[in-house]
Amino acid sequence: MTKALYPGSFDPITNGHLAIIKRAQKLFDQLIVAVVHNPNKDMLFTLEERQALVNDAMQEVGLEGIEVVTYNGLLVEFARDMNVDAIVRGLRVNSDFDYEFQMALMNRDMAPEIESVFLMTSGRYVFLSSSIVKEVKGYGEKISHLVPKVVDEALSERLQSK
Ligand code: PNS
């Protein structure tokens, strides 16, 4: 049985992340989505909120049987603890590649038994990121075609209260 981990900040989850989850679910017997507690990044949503939004977003689009967990610290240590065969990451434009390549090789150096697997994002999300969604929503622009409804509503509420 193959088991993979899909880690990220998910601040918040977008349709681009969901597209990767859908693809990864077809490749592995078991998929775990892991939301990182990243103290050195300024997050809009709390760890618990980000985890809940991942769960709610997957429910909204009918993705089932995928565990959502949180982790703190080094990704590969957590991956070892979860006994996964692979770490899945989504790739967009080439700007992702340098960062992902460095992280993948560093992770391989620390945990050679865990493979990094990269999935190309769907073309329509090649520009999409949590950061750009938050920025554009902050200016009152429509993003309902880029994020699940639950995320759009959470962003409306959070950005209004800021
Ligand atoms: O969604 P993101 O921010 O691109 O996800 C990056 C993430 C959270 C997967 C990565 O930064 C991470 O796991 N950080 C925890 C510390 C760590 O393992 N860093 C990588 C060292 S090579």
Side-chain angles (χ1 to χ4, degrees):
M1 190 181 97
T2 56
K3 189 174 174 185
L5 196 68
Y6 177 42
S9 305
F10 303 109
D11 186 46
I13 188 169
T14 70
N15 289 350
H17 295 125
L18 288 168
I20 296 297
I21 292 170
K22 279 178 193 160
R23 293 174 190 279
Q25 192 179 34
K26 292 185 189 131
L27 293 178
F28 296 96
D29 298 314
Q30 187 180 353
L31 179 65
I32 301 167
V33 176
V35 185
V36 69
H37 168 64
N38 210 333
N40 51 16
K41 262 191 180 178
D42 183 21
M43 297 283 167
L44 181 65
F45 295 101
T46 67
L47 181 64
E48 293 71 26
E49 288 170 331
R50 287 180 280 135
Q51 181 183 20
L53 283 172
V54 172
N55 271 308
D56 295 346
M58 292 198 301
Q59 189 177 7
E60 182 177 319
V61 298
L63 281 167
E64 294 175 347
I66 299 169
E67 188 183 2
V68 184
V69 299
T70 61
Y71 73 99
N72 191 356
L74 206 55
L75 172 59
V76 287
E77 286 310 317
F78 181 70
R80 271 205 186 101
D81 292 347
M82 298 299 284
N83 195 27
V84 300
D85 305 292
I87 292 167
V88 173
R89 293 283 287 168
L91 276 185
R92 292 164 306 192
V93 293
N94 53 15
S95 55
D96 276 347
F97 184 77
D98 293 350
Y99 166 69
E100 295 294 342
F101 194 53
Q102 182 187 29
M103 196 160 74
L105 293 186
M106 189 67 237
N107 285 339
R108 179 181 291 171
D109 184 69
M110 295 184 287
E113 77 282 10
I114 299 176
E115 199 58 66
S116 286
V117 173
F118 295 99
L119 300 179
M120 299 300 141
T121 189
S122 311
R124 63 193 137 142
Y125 300 132
V126 72
F127 61 92
L128 193 55
S129 71
S130 299
S131 313
I132 206 160
V133 154
K134 288 181 284 190
E135 182 170 353
V136 162
K137 178 77 176 181
Y139 285 99
E141 285 301 312
K142 179 178 170 295
I143 56 159
S144 54
H145 55 307
L146 302 173
V147 296
K149 191 168 183 299
V150 286
V151 169
D152 198 3
E153 289 167 354
L155 281 168
S156 297
E157 184 272 327
R158 183 55 46 90
L159 293 173
Q160 268 166 9
S161 60
K162 270 194 85 145

